[in-house]
Amino acid sequence: MKALVIDDSRVMRKIVGGILVDAGFEVVEAENGQDALDRMAEHDDIGLCCIDWNMPIMTGFEFVVEVRKHAEWRDVTLMMVTTEGEQDQIVRALAAGAHEYVIKPFTPEVILDKLQFLGLVEIEETV
Amino acid sequence: MTLTADTFDFVATLVRQKSAIQLERGKEYLVESRLAPLARSAGAVDVDAFVRGVRGDITKHDLVVEALTTNETSWFRDINPFTVLRTTVVPDMVGKGRRELKIWSAACSSGQEAYSIAMIIADNFPGIRTQITATDLAENMLAKGRSGEYSQLEINRGLPAPMLVKHFERTGPTFRINQQIRNSVTFRKNNLLDQPPMGGPFDIVFLRNVLIYFDVATKRDVLKRVRGAMAPDGYLFLGAAETTIGVDEAWERIQVGNSSVYKPREGK
C-alpha cells in the first residue's frame, strides 16, 4: 500500500516515512496540505495519510476537511501525527474525518500499534 | 557490563524467591536495564554498586523485585484477544444469561489491559455490568492503575483516538480515564503463587505473557490455581507464545480466527 507523509519538517517526514517503509509501505511525501492534495491527485493508490497539523499554505486539519469532500478518497485512512494534544483538537480532527491521532513525540511502536488497530499492518503478537 | 556474577545471582535468587520468575544467566542485560533507574535515583555509581548496597537492606528488596517483574504495557496489546473477547467470549456469556461479568486481569502492570477490557465491554455491551479485578505484585504499578492517569506517551501506545476522546479527560499534562470506567476496576496486590484474589469466581481471566517466565511445574501450579478461581464455563486468555498444551491438560483450547482462548474441561 502507498502512504502519504505530510509534514513541513523534512526530518519528521523521514522519521515517519522510515517507520512506514519498514512496515511495508511505499512512501510519498508532501510539505503541506495543498502539496498533499496534489500528490493525492497524482497517485490514485494512496491508502494512508500521516498528517501534521501545523503547516504553511494549508494545515493538516484543512487537508482532512478537503479530502472528506471527495467521494473517491473515502477509503483513505487519515491519521494525524502532531504536537497538538489538546482534547478538543483531537475531537475536532476525528469529527472532520480523521481515523486516528498520534501526539508527538512518539516511538515507532506507537505508529505500528495504530496501524495494526486500523488493520493496515499484520498483527504480530508480542511477548 | 558492570554486573558481576555474584550480583546477578543475588538478584536472580531474590526474584525467584519473591515471584517465582526465573532469571537465567544471559539475562544480565535485563537486570542492568531495569535496575539502572533505581541505581541512578539512589545515587549509586552503577547497578552493581546499587545491588551491593541493598543486599543487606531488606526494605529495598521489594523495589528490586518490582523493577524486574514489571512489563511494558500498552492499550489493547496485540488486539486479537480483545477482538475475541468482543466477538465470541462476551456474546457467549451474555447468551447464557449473564448480566454481570467478573473478570480478572492478572499481572496487570499499570492497568491498561484492565481498562481496555472495561472500555470494550462498555462500548459494545452497554447493559452488562463488569467487575474487573486487576492484580500485580508491584505496589507502584497498582497505585498508577488506581489513579487512572496516563502520560501522553502512554496514551499514544495503542489507545484508539475515538476511545481516548470518549473515555478520557485531559488533566494538565496527563489524561485520566473517566470515573465510570475507573469504578469498574479494582486493583489488588496479588502474587500468582499465593491464593487467587477476591472478586471471583471469574468468568474471564486474562493471564497474558506471565507463564513464559515460569518453569513448567510453576506454570502447572499457577494454571491450577487460576482454574480454581474460575467459573466452570469461564474463559482464559494467555499470551500468544503461551499454551496450556503439554503443561496442564485440564484445559480445552478453542481456536478463534488467528487467536485462541481456553476453557476448563468439565470434571477437572
Side-chain angles (χ1 to χ4, degrees), chain A residues 16-67:
Chain A
V16 176
I19 296 168
L20 294 176
V21 166
D22 287 347
F25 288 86
E26 189 183 329
V27 170
V28 180
E29 296 183 9
E31 294 179 13
N32 59 61
Q34 184 55 54
D35 190 21
L37 288 173
D38 296 344
R39 297 287 88 73
M40 294 282 286
E42 273 171 31
H43 302 264
D44 59 5
D45 53 350
I46 287 172
L48 166 71
C49 297
C50 293
I51 314 155
D52 185 22
W53 190 302
N54 291 309
M55 294 178 289
I57 303 173
M58 182 189 279
T59 68
F61 179 78
E62 289 163 346
F63 169 79
V64 168
V65 170
E66 202 55 40
V67 167

Side-chain angles (χ1 to χ4, degrees), chain A:
Chain A
M1 185 187 281
K2 223 175 250 182
L4 179 57
V5 177
I6 313 162
D7 201 303
D8 56 340
S9 154
R10 197 177 63 86
V11 173
M12 277 313 300
R13 290 201 301 275
K14 293 297 169 215
I15 291 172
V16 176
I19 296 168
L20 294 176
V21 166
D22 287 347
F25 288 86
E26 189 183 329
V27 170
V28 180
E29 296 183 9
E31 294 179 13
N32 59 61
Q34 184 55 54
D35 190 21
L37 288 173
D38 296 344
R39 297 287 88 73
M40 294 282 286
E42 273 171 31
H43 302 264
D44 59 5
D45 53 350
I46 287 172
L48 166 71
C49 297
C50 293
I51 314 155
D52 185 22
W53 190 302
N54 291 309
M55 294 178 289
I57 303 173
M58 182 189 279
T59 68
F61 179 78
E62 289 163 346
F63 169 79
V64 168
V65 170
E66 202 55 40
V67 167
R68 286 296 170 241
K69 290 179 186 166
H70 291 254
E72 71 271 25
W73 292 335
R74 66 172 176 268
D75 294 332
V76 178
T77 300
L78 304 178
M79 181 159 83
M80 302 301 294
V81 182
T82 169
T83 49
E84 301 297 325
E86 291 306 317
Q87 195 143 358
D88 60 344
Q89 284 170 304
I90 304 173
V91 172
R92 270 178 72 203
L94 295 184
H99 298 85
E100 259 305 342
Y101 202 104
V102 172
I103 307 168
K104 293 174 186 170
F106 55 83
T107 58
E109 292 77 25
V110 168
I111 302 281
L112 294 172
D113 284 348
K114 299 279 187 187
L115 296 177
Q116 283 184 355
F117 212 95
L118 292 164
L120 296 179
V121 298
E122 291 268 315
I123 295 165
E124 211 172 284
E125 296 201 20
T126 53
V127 173

Side-chain angles (χ1 to χ4, degrees), chain B residues 91-111:
Chain B
D92 178 54
M93 291 279 170
V94 172
K96 288 177 188 160
R98 295 278 218 295
R99 288 293 168 266
E100 180 179 277
L101 294 174
K102 292 182 177 177
I103 300 172
W104 177 15
S105 167
C108 68
S109 191
S110 42

Side-chain angles (χ1 to χ4, degrees), chain B residues 4-266:
Chain B
T4 63
D6 185 45
T7 297
F8 178 79
D9 288 345
F10 167 77
V11 173
T13 304
L14 181 67
V15 168
R16 189 173 60 247
Q17 285 168 348
K18 293 243 182 186
S19 72
I21 287 173
Q22 302 275 355
L23 286 173
E24 282 143 10
R25 287 276 170 90
K27 296 269 182 168
E28 286 85 357
Y29 70 92
L30 185 69
V31 173
E32 282 263 3
S33 64
R34 294 290 180 87
L35 296 185
L38 285 181
R40 266 197 304 277
S41 67
V45 292
D46 57 24
V47 169
D48 206 72
F50 170 71
V51 173
R52 274 185 272 121
V54 302
R55 279 181 87 137
D57 184 355
I58 204 162
T59 61
K60 297 275 171 44
H61 290 183
D62 274 355
L63 275 179
V64 171
V65 174
E66 284 183 7
L68 266 306
T69 56
T70 302
N71 282 307
E72 191 198 354
T73 181
S74 61
W75 306 90
F76 299 97
R77 186 174 174 191
D78 304 324
I79 306 160
N80 278 337
F82 299 95
T83 307
V84 173
L85 179 73
R86 176 173 56 79
T87 60
T88 306
V89 169
V90 177
D92 178 54
M93 291 279 170
V94 172
K96 288 177 188 160
R98 295 278 218 295
R99 288 293 168 266
E100 180 179 277
L101 294 174
K102 292 182 177 177
I103 300 172
W104 177 15
S105 167
C108 68
S109 191
S110 42
Q112 283 92 330
E113 179 181 80
Y115 287 133
S116 296
I117 296 166
M119 286 188 282
I120 281 248
I121 295 178
D123 285 356
N124 294 281
F125 306 93
I128 302 300
R129 259 174 56 82
T130 44
Q131 282 188 33
I132 302 171
T133 302
T135 64
D136 203 275
L137 272 178
E139 291 283 9
N140 59 340
M141 289 293 121
L142 293 168
K144 182 168 174 59
R146 273 184 207 111
S147 78
E149 277 187 54
Y150 299 92
S151 72
Q152 183 187 299
L153 281 171
E154 291 165 323
I155 283 296
N156 260 344
R157 287 301 312 272
L159 181 67
M163 286 200 175
L164 170 64
V165 165
K166 184 168 180 186
H167 296 295
F168 287 76
E169 58 194 47
R170 186 150 193 161
T171 50
T174 62
F175 290 85
R176 188 168 201 209
I177 198 155
N178 71 34
Q179 193 170 6
Q180 186 205 339
I181 299 290
R182 274 207 316 279
N183 286 349
S184 63
V185 182
T186 305
F187 287 85
R188 292 182 202 284
K189 182 164 182 166
N190 181 261
N191 187 331
L192 287 167
L193 304 180
D194 297 336
Q195 290 305 307
M198 292 186 292
F202 298 103
D203 300 302
I204 302 164
V205 177
F206 278 69
L207 179 71
R208 300 171 62 219
N209 307 306
V210 182
L211 293 179
I212 42 168
Y213 295 105
F214 298 141
D215 61 28
V216 173
T218 310
K219 282 179 187 166
R220 191 172 293 138
D221 190 38
V222 168
L223 283 168
K224 187 178 171 195
R225 287 167 206 267
V226 168
R227 207 166 65 242
M230 284 175 69
D233 60 348
Y235 287 89
L236 169 69
F237 287 92
L238 297 177
E242 298 165 328
T243 182
T244 60
I245 295 166
V247 180
D248 179 1
E249 300 311 319
W251 300 87
E252 181 187 355
R253 178 168 176 264
I254 298 165
Q255 184 82 26
V256 186
N258 292 328
S259 203
S260 34
V261 62
Y262 298 84
K263 286 179 82 69
R265 283 190 203 278
E266 277 176 42

